[in-house]
Amino acid sequence: LTFAKMEGKPLKFVKRVMGEAKRLLSSQGLEDAKAGGYSFTLLDRDNLSKWSVRLNGLNKDGKLAKDLLKHKLEPSIDLEISLPDGFPLEPPFARVLYPQLTGGFVFAHGGICFEPLTAKGWAPAMTLPALAIAIQGIMDYGEVQVMGVGDRKARKIPQYTEEGARKDHNMIVTAHKGGEASTYGSLKNYGS
C-alpha cells in the first residue's frame, strides 16, 4: 500500500482506510470475500477512497436473483463505495452501478436508501465488508427488481451517474433527518 498518497488526510482516515485496504487486499481478505459473496477492487490508488464492489452472493432463490437471470444477467450487483475524508466518523457514500434496479431501496440514479449510509445511522465500527453484506441483504430481501440492462458488455447504466446518485442521497439524508422512528414514513413525501 506504499503507492497511496495520504498527505493532507486526517489521521483517523489514514489509519482506518489503510487497515481496511490491508484486510481487503490480503489473501485472507480475498478468501473471506469469496466466502461472503462479495469482491472489492480499488478504484483510487492514490488515497484508497474509492472502491468497486461486486455483490455476487445473492440468495439464488430470491426475487432479485431470479429477476437478474430472467434478464439473462449474472446474479450480481455492481456498487461503488466512496469514503469521505471524515471516514470512519462519517458514513461512506454508496451507489448502484449495474444493473438498473428499481423498487425497495434503490433510487432513480442508483442512490441507495439505507440508514447506515446516513450520519444518523452510521456506526464507525462497521467495516466495508460488513457494509457490503448489509447492502446485499437489503437488495436480496427488499422489493428490488431489474428495470434495465444498459450496456451489458461494459456493465454501465447511462443514467447512473455519481452526481445523480449524490442528489438521490441528499434527498434520502433529508428524509432521515426527520426524526421519525420509521424512515419509510419520512420518505413517503419524496419521489425517486
Side-chain angles (χ1 to χ4, degrees):
L1 298 175
T2 56
F3 51 79
K5 300 177 183 102
M6 296 292 195
E7 54 275 348
K9 296 286 184 185
L11 185 59
K12 280 185 194 284
F13 174 89
V14 172
K15 284 182 171 183
R16 177 62 178 273
V17 172
M18 291 294 277
E20 292 273 2
K22 283 179 185 174
R23 228 179 346 270
L24 289 168
L25 301 173
S26 71
S27 56
Q28 182 63 51
L30 295 172
E31 282 180 40
D32 292 347
K34 188 174 182 180
Y38 60 85
S39 64
F40 278 78
T41 305
L42 187 58
L43 293 178
D44 187 344
R45 288 176 53 97
D46 283 348
N47 65 22
L48 310 178
S49 67
K50 199 168 272 200
W51 296 83
S52 172
V53 181
R54 179 156 298 166
L55 304 176
N56 52 19
L58 295 171
N59 172 10
K60 65 182 179 206
D61 296 322
K63 225 173 170 179
L64 180 55
K66 287 179 179 178
D67 203 27
L68 288 161
L69 292 174
K70 184 176 87 180
H71 285 84
K72 296 181 176 31
L73 296 170
E74 67 178 85
S76 66
I77 299 168
D78 293 352
L79 306 176
E80 181 180 270
I81 295 179
S82 302
L83 307 176
D85 284 353
F87 182 79
L89 300 178
E90 294 174 24
F93 169 71
R95 66 187 182 111
V96 175
L97 295 178
Y98 193 81
Q100 185 178 6
L101 301 175
T102 188
F105 309 95
V106 182
F107 278 57
H109 300 99
I112 301 170
C113 179
F114 188 40
E115 201 156 7
L117 295 172
T118 69
K120 179 180 172 184
W122 173 244
M126 182 177 266
T127 64
L128 294 180
L131 179 63
I133 291 168
I135 292 172
Q136 183 168 280
I138 66 166
M139 298 290 176
D140 239 350
Y141 297 100
E143 294 298 315
V144 180
Q145 53 193 351
V146 177
M147 185 175 178
V149 297
D151 183 338
R152 288 175 187 266
K153 191 171 185 170
R155 295 182 63 92
K156 297 279 182 203
I157 301 296
Q159 60 271 38
Y160 275 14
T161 63
E162 184 170 352
E163 179 184 358
R166 286 193 182 272
K167 285 180 183 174
D168 289 346
H169 179 73
N170 289 338
M171 189 171 56
I172 292 163
V173 166
T174 300
H176 279 267
K177 283 184 181 173
E180 291 186 29
S182 168
T183 296
Y184 310 106
S186 306
L187 288 173
K188 67 181 173 248
N189 300 317
Y190 294 94
S192 58

